[in-house]
Amino acid sequence: MLLLLALFFGVSLAQRPSNASICDYYAQQYFGTNNSNTQLQLVQGIVSLAFGGAFNLSNISSNVIGILNPSAFDGTPVDLRPWFNGSIESTNLNNQPVGIDWLDDGGTDPLYTFLSGATTTVVFSSNTTNHRIFSHFFLAFSHIFGCSNPPASTSTGPPLNLAYVHKYMNLNYTDIGYFIAQIGAASLHYGFSTEDTTTLGTQWNSLYNVRCASPITQNPALGPQLLSLCQADSCPLAEPNSDCAAYVNLTSNGGSGSVSQSASASATPISATFTPTTVAPTSSAAATTSAAATSNSSTPSSTLSAGAIAGIVIGAIVVLLLAIIAIVLCLRKRKPYAEERQSHPSPPMYAGPRVPEKTDVYASQHPAAAEMESPRSGRSPAPQYASPNPSIPGVAELGSYEHRQSRHPPPQPDQWGRI
């Protein structure tokens, strides 16, 4: 019982406090200390593992396959490499689709070198698109996970709107769902709780993996933004509100020539702890790939989520059940002791003899002393035993006066009258 309680309370105390950010908490848990270096290592580890997969690494879940590796999601085949290797014209450069190879510096090789422990950080050659896009991912997820010491931004231009960046990618629900799932699987490997991972995945899917989502204000300085990255016709429509007209003629700042004043005024505000960022346009590359879908996700709420509340309720029920079990066990231990005492009763307490009350029956059987010699008593008088020798007095004569006189006659006076 004590072991069960210890295990239960150990699990309960291991839950992330609501006032601790995901990044700071798991950097402390995984590396034993929380600072800018461990926070960066945590983020680089998750991003590298999510994109590269397990490769030849040990102790990695089979669910970690890698965003840059072909696989399946919910039974549907998926391959995101064409959006990264430039084989399709999907990058939005000045509102025109172009093909850009974002893996021009070894692709996933620097990721595996870091994951194997050969380097302390992910190392790319500078001025490469490989370096540019992964530096962006490391910065974006540092903000998404709430790192208190994120790396400095290398972008010189304003952040681009996510819907605008992914305008020519035509991503569907499977593509974005697989991306999010791989980030979640890699997070679990680095110690994230199932609750935190599930909460993040649910948030990301509801914000980005829907079609025609209404404008949302993540950063008041940027105003309402369009965040639907799933823009294929097969994508599920956003609920409860959708605004497909807002996604016509998208601009880099998130606006649209078709957005009405009413749609803009009804933009839904969300937590803005983190500023969404994307790769700013340059002379060589102007937009990110589909992997930037999660780079601008909303920050986890500082309040308790539905999952956290459910966890607290379940925890309380478990504690109550453990208390009931403990009480039942105590009662079972006391029951054999009570049965043993019944099988070996204590010796009786002896009291003085009880004198029955005097009743008529008792009186009739035991006459009073005054009546024992009377004729009415119904008993014969005690016999008077005579002595067989006349010179020896009988029992009845032993105490008589005559007997005492006969045994001791009075002295007779002599001749002179003396006694």
Side-chain angles (χ1 to χ4, degrees):
M1 175 59 65
L2 292 177
L3 178 60
L4 290 175
L5 288 173
L7 289 174
F8 172 76
F9 285 110
V11 172
S12 297
L13 294 176
Q15 297 297 317
R16 179 175 62 87
S18 60
N19 61 345
S21 75
I22 287 179
C23 179
D24 289 23
Y25 177 78
Y26 289 112
Q28 176 70 43
Q29 294 295 312
Y30 195 83
F31 296 104
T33 184
N34 175 38
N35 53 46
S36 59
N37 291 330
T38 57
Q39 290 175 17
L40 180 60
Q41 286 182 329
L42 177 68
V43 173
Q44 286 187 340
I46 293 174
V47 173
S48 298
L49 186 59
F51 274 87
F55 191 53
N56 59 355
L57 304 174
S58 58
N59 301 322
I60 305 294
S61 171
S62 59
N63 293 327
V64 182
I65 300 171
I67 293 170
L68 296 178
N69 296 319
S71 183
F73 180 73
D74 287 345
T76 303
V78 58
D79 187 358
L80 299 180
R81 290 177 298 177
W83 283 272
F84 290 89
N85 58 22
S87 60
I88 62 175
E89 296 180 347
S90 60
T91 301
N92 189 345
L93 177 59
N94 297 325
N95 212 22
Q96 295 294 323
V98 297
I100 295 178
D101 182 10
W102 296 98
L103 307 174
D104 62 346
D105 190 21
T108 58
D109 290 343
L111 306 181
Y112 293 133
T113 302
F114 166 71
L115 291 173
S116 65
T119 59
T120 57
T121 60
V122 179
V123 179
F124 289 104
S125 298
S126 59
N127 299 322
T128 62
T129 57
N130 219 153
H131 174 270
R132 183 174 182 78
I133 192 172
F134 277 99
S135 295
H136 161 69
F137 283 135
F138 299 150
L139 175 62
F141 278 99
S142 293
H143 287 291
I144 291 171
F145 292 144
C147 295
S148 57
N149 296 294
S153 174
T154 59
S155 177
T156 58
L160 300 176
N161 174 257
L162 283 176
Y164 172 80
V165 170
H166 296 77
K167 179 178 179 179
Y168 300 110
M169 294 183 185
N170 198 37
L171 296 168
N172 59 35
Y173 181 84
T174 300
D175 299 329
I176 299 176
Y178 178 68
F179 182 97
I180 294 174
Q182 289 302 294
I183 294 292
S187 299
L188 287 173
H189 176 76
Y190 279 88
F192 281 31
S193 69
T194 303
E195 179 183 347
D196 281 336
T197 304
T198 302
T199 300
L200 287 174
T202 302
Q203 255 187 354
W204 295 341
N205 277 295
S206 64
L207 286 173
Y208 309 116
N209 206 6
V210 292
R211 180 168 54 92
C212 301
S214 298
I216 292 177
T217 301
Q218 290 181 303
N219 188 336
L222 299 176
Q225 296 289 304
L226 300 172
L227 302 179
S228 283
L229 307 183
C230 191
Q231 298 178 16
D233 293 338
S234 61
C235 293
L237 199 62
E239 294 180 353
N241 300 316
S242 60
D243 185 6
C244 293
Y247 289 82
V248 179
N249 300 325
L250 283 169
T251 61
S252 60
N253 62 0
S256 170
S258 301
V259 178
S260 63
Q261 284 295 107
S262 60
S264 178
S266 62
T268 304
I270 63 174
S271 177
T273 304
F274 312 126
T275 302
T277 58
T278 58
V279 178
T282 64
S283 59
S284 60
T288 62
T289 61
S290 63
T294 58
S295 64
N296 300 303
S297 79
S298 64
T299 169
S301 173
S302 61
T303 58
L304 289 176
S305 63
I309 296 175
I312 294 173
V313 174
I314 293 174
I317 294 175
V318 172
V319 171
L320 179 60
L321 291 177
L322 290 176
I324 294 175
I325 293 174
I327 294 174
V328 172
L329 290 178
C330 291
L331 292 177
R332 288 184 176 180
K333 289 182 178 180
R334 294 184 60 183
K335 184 176 180 181
Y337 176 74
E339 293 176 352
E340 181 180 356
R341 292 198 59 182
Q342 291 180 0
S343 61
H344 301 282
S346 301
M349 299 296 294
Y350 291 98
R354 295 180 60 185
V355 179
E357 297 180 0
K358 187 174 182 180
T359 61
D360 293 341
V361 176
Y362 182 87
S364 63
Q365 295 178 356
H366 303 279
E371 298 175 347
M372 292 183 67
E373 301 296 335
S374 66
R376 291 180 299 175
S377 66
R379 298 179 60 182
S380 301
Q384 299 292 326
Y385 295 98
S387 174
N389 190 344
S391 62
I392 301 175
V395 175
E397 299 174 344
L398 288 177
S400 64
Y401 175 78
E402 291 79 5
H403 172 69
R404 291 195 301 269
Q405 292 295 323
S406 63
R407 291 187 61 184
H408 304 281
Q412 298 295 323
D414 57 11
Q415 57 181 346
W416 292 281
R418 293 179 300 179
I419 297 177

